[in-house]
Amino acid sequence: MSTFSSRLPEEFDHEILSRLPAKSVFVCKCVCKTWLSVISNPTFIQSHLNVTVKNNNPSLMLAGYEDSESATSAVHSIKHDLLSEFDGIGVNEMDYPFKSSASNIKLVGSYNGLVCIRIDNDFYCIWNPVTYEYKRLPETPNVNNYEEEDVETYGLGYDCKTDDYKLVIVVDDLSLVEVYTLGSNSWDSIRTVPYRFYGGSGVLISGALHWLGARRGNPSSDLVISFEINSEKFNELQLPKEPLEDNCRWFSAVGVLEGCLCVLALDKNTGSPAEVWVMRDYGVRESWTKITTVTGGTVEYPLMSLKNDKILFWSFQGIPVLHDRKDGSSSHLNVCSPVDYTSALNYFETLVSLNSAT
């Protein structure tokens, strides 16, 4: 195979390899020196990433405990092509950094194939599940001023202008936001933030992370809070009018569906049905459009859009829910696993490097 490869122009190798799954490409590093050189080139890694994102076939990652009494955490994945099924879906167990000593894993966020996890409410780690490369983040400068258990709002963002990744965590009680930048391996602090956050992992779209929240001192001012990754400035986006005017509904989560920012509006008493609203034109309040209503379950937040007008949600029961927009039906995804899952996210399999040498 090495001889065959050497007879092809390098651009052919580049084109062929960029269309293969990331795990297959990673193994191909061992085939010959030519392929090792091609695959290790940052230009190829970016091309492979572009193809992967364009294909839009993310996998689902799940984290939780092996059983209700166990102190051992597990991380599993489900391939994209299995997520449209209902019955008997097997999961793949994943090795993750510090697995032997971790008793509690929280999935914080993912972008471009890099996944951020929080281990034992003690420290954060960014990790590429394909290449097994990881980086343990240093402690925040204010680590002694609050308990890590108090951090319920966070998000992993990407700055396309500097080609850099940032972890954002919010300490609501201190009106404090801390921002970690991967390139400089350092933290910065933003104080006296004029918002209260409703918690959860922020979603990245249009160069900003987004959460639900309200202005401090005005708890009825529900809105979407955005944080621009490049400028590190906060902005406000208005929620759709109809659910706000309906006193029987409250907003539970933000997400991204069909490439648009979306929110869920739940029944205050039962949690069901859940209305799904998408912002067709980013930043324009009048563009909020209700695309479906989910009944028969208590969905917590959207995970991803699937083919054939299906949407995958995460439920308050720790079970993926598959919703069909065509007929309005919803069913629990039958995941064959003894693990009690506590968090979930979608991620792409890529070759993006952390340049951490670990």
Side-chain angles (χ1 to χ4, degrees), residues 249-250 252 264-276 292-301 313-324 328-333:
R249 296 200 166 274
W250 64 285
S252 66
L264 295 189
L266 306 186
D267 183 279
K268 286 184 177 180
N269 297 319
T270 65
S272 179
E275 296 179 351
V276 184
T292 191
T293 299
V294 184
T295 59
T298 51
V299 293
E300 184 176 1
Y301 55 85
F313 293 90
W314 186 246
S315 72
F316 287 102
Q317 292 79 23
I319 303 172
V321 172
L322 191 62
H323 173 72
D324 192 329
S329 63
S330 299
S331 300
H332 286 166
L333 209 63

Side-chain angles (χ1 to χ4, degrees), residues 42-54:
T43 301
F44 171 81
I45 293 174
Q46 183 62 48
S47 296
H48 185 273
L49 171 64
N50 294 340
V51 172
T52 301
V53 173
K54 183 178 180 180

Side-chain angles (χ1 to χ4, degrees), residues 171-182:
V171 189
D172 236 356
D173 291 343
L174 299 181
S175 183
L176 171 69
V177 172
E178 302 206 274
V179 182
Y180 168 82
T181 303
L182 180 62

Side-chain angles (χ1 to χ4, degrees), residues 45-185:
I45 293 174
Q46 183 62 48
S47 296
H48 185 273
L49 171 64
N50 294 340
V51 172
T52 301
V53 173
K54 183 178 180 180
N55 290 337
N56 194 25
N57 293 321
S59 297
L60 178 65
M61 183 178 292
L62 306 164
Y65 299 100
E66 292 185 357
D67 58 67
S68 58
E69 298 180 357
S70 173
T72 304
S73 289
V75 177
H76 291 158
S77 68
I78 303 175
K79 290 290 188 181
H80 183 272
D81 56 0
L82 297 176
L83 293 173
S84 296
E85 304 295 333
F86 289 98
D87 297 321
I89 297 176
V91 297
N92 298 312
E93 185 172 358
M94 307 181 74
D95 286 326
Y96 57 87
F98 308 100
K99 181 177 182 179
S100 60
S101 59
S103 60
N104 181 16
I105 296 295
K106 180 73 173 180
L107 302 179
V108 171
S110 174
Y111 197 76
N112 285 350
L114 300 183
V115 178
C116 182
I117 56 179
R118 185 167 64 169
I119 299 179
D120 293 335
N121 288 329
D122 186 28
F123 63 90
Y124 296 88
C125 178
I126 300 178
W127 154 58
N128 185 322
V130 173
T131 65
Y132 300 103
E133 187 182 8
Y134 68 90
K135 184 176 184 65
R136 175 173 172 166
L137 275 55
E139 291 184 339
T140 71
N142 296 285
V143 66
N144 295 322
N145 297 333
Y146 60 87
E147 297 292 334
E148 272 297 325
E149 292 85 347
D150 298 332
V151 179
E152 296 296 336
T153 304
Y154 35 71
L156 182 65
Y158 174 70
D159 184 351
C160 62
K161 294 183 179 180
T162 61
D163 187 27
D164 210 347
Y165 296 83
K166 296 182 180 182
L167 170 65
V168 180
I169 63 173
V170 180
V171 189
D172 236 356
D173 291 343
L174 299 181
S175 183
L176 171 69
V177 172
E178 302 206 274
V179 182
Y180 168 82
T181 303
L182 180 62
S184 62
N185 191 34

